[in-house]
Amino acid sequence: MKNSDLTGKVCLLLTKGKLPEDWRGNGAQPLRAVFEDAGYQTELTLCDNPDDICAFIRSNTRAGDIVAVGGGDGTINAVLDTVIAAKVVLIPVPLGTANDFARTLGLPDDLIDAARATIHGQIRMLDVGRVNDHSFINAASIGVPADARKRINPDLKRTLGAISYAVANWQSWHEMDPLDLSITCGDEKPQNLKLRQVTITNGRYFGGGLRPSDTKSPEDGLLHMFAIRDSVDTLSGLDIAAELLFGSVDNSSYAMAMECNEITIEGADGAPVLADGEIIGELPARFTLRASTLPVFAPNSYVEEENRHQANSPTTIPQQDAVKDVLRDTLDFALRLEAIFPVVRDSKLKSLCHDSTRNLRDIYRQIELALRPLGVIAAIPDPDLQSLEELRDRIMDWLFNDADQRLAIGLDQRAAQLAAELDELVIEKLPEDLRDPVAALDREIGQFRNSINDFIKTR
């Protein structure tokens, strides 16, 4: 999926029980405003649980819509398969306790800042892990973490947040018996091991901020596994915890690590498997990877980190100046339509201004998003707020004469100017992601001119 595939609609799906108190009375307006200010049509729906979120996505979205899902890692896990099947784009709204998926994307803790970071980012296609028939985005664990999940006190979780995970893990470490397991990584021979814990990660973080590898990425096409042997004592276990918090276990002398795209774990039949904070199954288990399958809006900071070893994006494209002129004048035209809409009297002209404003903003956004990965920044539109106020003042002077006719002629002239700029572009020579939205803009302007000329002729 590409940025240019977006529809311009954001479905804001928030779990009622996790909604911040100050948003209950204002319909989460501060969060909605972030998406609306970015040019997206935004609809808020409050859901009782992840099942309701999935039902909404299946029934009320179409491919290319954005779904901003509020909840924690368990909620994100619950909607993964539905998001992929519906071909919508996911934005996580971190309302959970650990928020490891949001942390993997580099999102800030503040909800408004997190929303701004994602909506101005880029679409990335992330890998998704599978354990037996269940998907996971962060990690799946056997042993201590799975046992600890059953021990977490809900009241302690609400009070201490991620610290409650550490408390439960400490208890499991001392009280749980090690597991006799057979582990097969890819085409390697099975290894028979006595282990306290096995964790398979797809994302960068799990368990409330633990990071098993410096290099792990949800776009690398690999599962990362680390295992802790039963011979590791409490003091060494603390060393492993420090490595997970502050670095990596890839070179640890206390944990063994490996990477491959398929892992099979047998033995200790019936032992629980924890995935993204929830118990989702039991051993035996087969872990696989669905590469580049989850569309996510990722902030630019994440994109830059993922691309830090790649060559910089080009800063020029064919016909760049002409494209930037078209983009600037498209937004200019949309702003003018929006400015005159409140004072137009004729219902047909009013409807044309309303519909064309929305269509032009949508197309402008698609072109702008297609330009970002190419390193091209859109030019600032000509009119500022003062000039739009002057335009309104002139309209008021005309109201009792022929304001609608004057406005229609002026809009036709502006549309003709933009049409001429589009005629100068050779669409076939544009980068692939730009061709469809520029062609859509050409059609939109053509349809607008036909409609506005029909209106002028009937006056």
Side-chain angles (χ1 to χ4, degrees), residues 429-441:
K429 293 184 179 180
L430 294 173
E432 183 179 352
D433 285 358
L434 277 177
R435 295 172 193 169
D436 287 346
V438 169
L441 176 60

Side-chain angles (χ1 to χ4, degrees), residues 7-8 31 53 55 81 93 119 144 196 203 213 221 229 231 233 245 264 307 372 406 417 420 440 457 459:
T7 63
L31 187 59
I53 294 176
D81 292 336
V93 180
I119 203 60
V144 168
R196 290 180 179 270
S213 173
R229 299 179 186 273
S231 56
D233 57 25
L245 278 171
T264 301
N307 295 337
R372 283 182 188 169
R406 286 172 179 257
Q417 177 184 335
K457 291 174 182 178
R459 301 301 289 176

Side-chain angles (χ1 to χ4, degrees), residues 148-166:
R149 179 62 183 86
K150 298 183 295 183
R151 298 171 184 261
I152 291 177
N153 183 303
D155 294 332
L156 191 63
K157 183 179 178 181
R158 282 190 293 269
T159 304
L160 299 179
I163 296 177
S164 62
Y165 292 95

Side-chain angles (χ1 to χ4, degrees), residues 397-447:
D397 291 337
W398 301 334
L399 276 180
F400 296 103
N401 297 307
D402 55 352
D404 285 355
Q405 182 74 354
R406 286 172 179 257
L407 290 171
I409 294 172
L411 291 173
D412 182 49
Q413 292 171 348
R414 298 289 300 188
Q417 177 184 335
L418 186 51
E421 293 175 354
L422 285 163
D423 285 342
E424 294 296 321
L425 286 176
V426 181
I427 293 180
E428 292 76 14
K429 293 184 179 180
L430 294 173
E432 183 179 352
D433 285 358
L434 277 177
R435 295 172 193 169
D436 287 346
V438 169
L441 176 60
D442 192 35
R443 291 192 298 270
E444 176 66 25
I445 293 302
Q447 293 168 3

Side-chain angles (χ1 to χ4, degrees), residues 316-336:
T316 60
I317 62 171
Q319 310 175 87
Q320 177 170 306
D321 290 341
V323 169
K324 292 175 72 171
D325 287 345
V326 165
L327 192 59
R328 178 197 61 219
D329 290 341
T330 298
L331 185 55
D332 180 358
F333 193 30
L335 289 170
R336 288 176 183 274

Side-chain angles (χ1 to χ4, degrees), residues 58-276:
R58 285 191 291 265
S59 302
N60 298 282
T61 64
R62 62 189 179 98
D65 286 350
I66 297 171
V67 290
V69 175
D73 293 313
T75 301
I76 297 298
N77 180 288
V79 305
L80 284 177
D81 292 336
T82 302
V83 166
I84 294 168
K87 297 181 179 179
V88 294
V89 184
L90 176 66
I91 286 180
V93 180
L95 292 174
T97 303
N99 298 315
D100 284 314
F101 180 54
R103 190 179 280 111
T104 286
L105 294 178
L107 294 182
D109 293 333
D110 182 82
L111 294 174
I112 301 300
D113 289 343
R116 288 197 186 101
T118 49
I119 203 60
H120 293 295
Q122 298 177 24
I123 294 176
R124 305 294 284 208
M125 299 299 293
L126 304 189
D127 304 336
V128 171
R130 295 279 289 178
V131 49
N132 294 340
D133 295 321
H134 199 101
S135 295
F136 65 93
I137 190 64
N138 296 319
S141 294
I142 299 155
V144 168
D147 181 77
R149 179 62 183 86
K150 298 183 295 183
R151 298 171 184 261
I152 291 177
N153 183 303
D155 294 332
L156 191 63
K157 183 179 178 181
R158 282 190 293 269
T159 304
L160 299 179
I163 296 177
S164 62
Y165 292 95
V167 173
N169 272 274
W170 180 265
Q171 292 174 332
S172 292
W173 180 272
H174 287 281
E175 298 176 14
M176 181 185 171
D177 292 330
L179 303 176
D180 290 307
L181 301 175
S182 173
I183 298 179
T184 305
C185 189
D187 296 329
E188 300 292 327
K189 293 182 179 180
Q191 298 186 60
N192 297 316
L193 303 165
K194 196 175 190 67
L195 302 172
R196 290 180 179 270
Q197 172 180 342
V198 180
T199 295
I200 293 95
T201 62
N202 172 60
R204 288 190 179 126
Y205 294 93
F206 78 102
L210 303 178
R211 186 178 63 175
S213 173
D214 282 331
T215 60
K216 184 69 187 86
S217 162
E219 295 182 81
D220 60 13
L222 293 170
L223 294 169
H224 180 280
M225 187 198 84
F226 77 92
I228 304 175
R229 299 179 186 273
D230 72 316
S231 56
V232 174
D233 57 25
T234 300
L235 188 59
S236 299
L238 291 175
D239 288 334
I240 294 175
E243 290 170 342
L244 289 170
L245 278 171
F246 304 113
S248 165
V249 296
D250 283 340
N251 298 311
S252 174
S253 57
Y254 305 108
M256 55 180 294
M258 59 187 73
E259 285 187 333
C260 52
N261 57 14
E262 182 176 329
I263 299 169
T264 301
I265 301 180
E266 299 174 309
D269 289 357
V273 177
L274 178 78
D276 295 341

Side-chain angles (χ1 to χ4, degrees), residues 1-8 40 63-64 89 122-123 297 362-373 431-438 440:
M1 178 174 286
K2 304 170 184 176
N3 285 357
S4 54
D5 294 331
L6 297 174
T7 63
Y40 292 83
V89 184
Q122 298 177 24
I123 294 176
F297 235 139
D362 284 348
I363 294 170
Y364 172 89
R365 175 188 46 76
Q366 291 174 22
I367 296 175
E368 183 188 27
L369 290 173
L371 286 173
R372 283 182 188 169
E432 183 179 352
D433 285 358
L434 277 177
R435 295 172 193 169
D436 287 346
V438 169

